[in-house]
Amino acid sequence: MFAGWIPFAMLVIIIAARLGYNRSNLPFVPLVGYMLVWLVLGNVVRAFRCPRCGSRFYALWSWGMGHNPLARKCRNCGLRKWQCDGINNPAVFGA
């Protein structure tokens, strides 16, 4: 998403300029849409729940204190990123 800003903005500005829009306000058109996408994606990452304990993966406790989007493991139970507990975990499969 971060690296896609320049090609996205250039494409939107070129298309809008060919359609005859005012050039002075053109950079703000793609910027508003891009910021909205960042806002939505940030909330999706922030609300991600740990598959093992069910708490927020990147935050301590359920109310979101100590949020760390670069954490490599769950801040509550220690489940590492991309780790699969497998079939033997009763918390995942309810066995």
Side-chain angles (χ1 to χ4, degrees), residues 52-64:
R52 182 191 288 167
C53 67
S55 296
R56 290 184 184 174
F57 191 86
Y58 299 104
L60 292 172
W61 311 295
S62 60
W63 55 84

Side-chain angles (χ1 to χ4, degrees), residues 5-84:
W5 164 247
I6 294 173
F8 170 75
M10 292 302 293
L11 181 68
V12 170
I13 289 172
I14 289 170
I15 291 172
R18 290 191 182 209
L19 292 176
Y21 288 100
N22 185 3
R23 287 185 177 263
S24 64
N25 295 332
L26 228 42
F28 297 108
V29 174
L31 184 62
V32 170
Y34 191 75
M35 288 190 308
L36 288 174
V37 169
W38 265 105
L39 182 69
V40 169
L41 287 178
N43 284 326
V44 167
V45 168
R46 185 174 183 202
F48 178 72
R49 299 273 178 187
C50 175
R52 182 191 288 167
C53 67
S55 296
R56 290 184 184 174
F57 191 86
Y58 299 104
L60 292 172
W61 311 295
S62 60
W63 55 84
M65 298 294 292
H67 185 77
N68 181 6
L70 301 175
R72 292 183 171 189
K73 60 184 179 179
C74 176
R75 305 276 321 257
N76 300 290
C77 70
L79 179 72
R80 296 186 68 67
K81 221 184 237 187
W82 313 115
Q83 178 181 350
C84 179

